[in-house]
Amino acid sequence: MAESRLHQLSARGQSVWIDYLSRDLLQTGELKRMIEEDAVVGVTSNPTIFQKAISHGNAYDEQLKELLEHEDDAKEIFLHLAVRDVENALDLLAPVHEDNAEDGYVSIEVDPTLAYDTKATYAEAIRLHQWIDRPNLYVKIPGTEPGLQAIEDCIADGRSINVTLLFSLQMHERSMEAYVHGLERFVEGGGDPANVRSVASFFVSRVDTEADKRLGAIGSEEALALRGKLAIANARLAYENYKNVFSGERWEALEAKGALPQRCLWASTSTKNPEYRDVLYVEELIGPHTVNTMPEETIQAFQDHGEVRGDTVENDLAEAHRLLEEQLPAVGVDYDDVVASLEKEGVEKFSDSFAELLDGVRAKRETVAA
């Protein structure tokens, strides 16, 4: 079989993950095929994804019938359904993880309605890790102000965490600090940092969606010329910060004990604006020690016509700095407000999806029980 475009991407050190998980994806063998043919080496999921999977078709009906014999809480029912999918995907990806301990991961997210409650987020993350108890499990915690402390505490307990809903450079830097400090605490307690992993899920396309809306509203020639630029510049600067954090004496002390950096994971990489190239957020963010978690349509699009043009994530850094520090302020776009709005909206969207998911579980419960 000829080397696919996604295999070429992987050869540059970027891991291909899929941002979708469902029972159909597992039972039809489609995930297995993607691992073999599309270079997929990881899976992420979120409440929106599970809501869509559980509400359509009857793949979950048989397990639902079993659960209804002893469980009537909608959240607990959902967790049992989701955990079975996650465990099956973990089994499928176990050989990948054994071959390369940085990949082969599957992520499950804490209840997003807990995003501003440190203690509840920490408790649920630990519960999920204890429940599933696999070396290739990531538990996703939103990178909100209260979430950061829960992330650090989980890392200090030796638990691998996927930090999600990162939009701003500041919160990404704080996510990296939470990881490093958590590792330091873990090592001080006698833990082996080689067994702990983390990724920072830095969202991409939504940044352009929000910034472009504001630039369009301003409407000046200078503002309109900046559309479609912030998302890639933002991610490239995040990667620059990543390289700075995971170097130097402080990091080298942990690295000497076996610690690995918290990789940048590019999330939300489907192109929302039809005027932009459909693989834009893959082609322009290629680089070593990164992850791109793509929806199925982006995987297919990249396999068809994606281009691997070297480590593009390090291109045009001076231009990226100028965009954030000079050009956007000059036309009246407040970067800090853009990313703060996106974080708030992201938590709300996931919380709304979670509520909708639980309503869907209740509706399914009634249908199956009838």
Side-chain angles (χ1 to χ4, degrees), residues 245-313:
V245 168
F246 295 106
S247 61
E249 289 184 17
R250 183 186 182 193
W251 175 249
E252 286 165 6
L254 285 167
E255 192 174 42
K257 294 179 171 66
L260 286 170
Q262 181 189 64
R263 289 193 293 174
C264 292
L265 180 153
W266 312 129
S268 182
T269 55
S270 61
T271 307
K272 306 296 189 288
N273 187 334
E275 294 180 13
Y276 299 160
R277 185 167 164 82
D278 59 357
V279 288
L280 175 72
Y281 302 122
V282 182
E283 290 178 337
E284 299 299 330
L285 296 174
I286 298 170
H289 310 295
T290 59
V291 180
N292 196 311
T293 180
M294 309 176 201
E296 199 168 355
E297 61 270 21
T298 305
I299 286 176
Q300 292 168 353
F302 197 89
Q303 286 290 54
D304 181 65
H305 53 265
E307 297 177 7
V308 178
R309 301 187 301 266
D311 295 337
T312 52
V313 74

Side-chain angles (χ1 to χ4, degrees), residues 11 21 54 59 62 79 107 119 124 126 149 157 167 180 331:
L21 182 61
I54 292 171
E62 186 177 339
L79 285 174
S107 298
K119 289 182 179 178
E124 181 150 305
I126 295 300
Q149 187 61 55
D157 281 347
F167 298 93
V180 172
V331 300

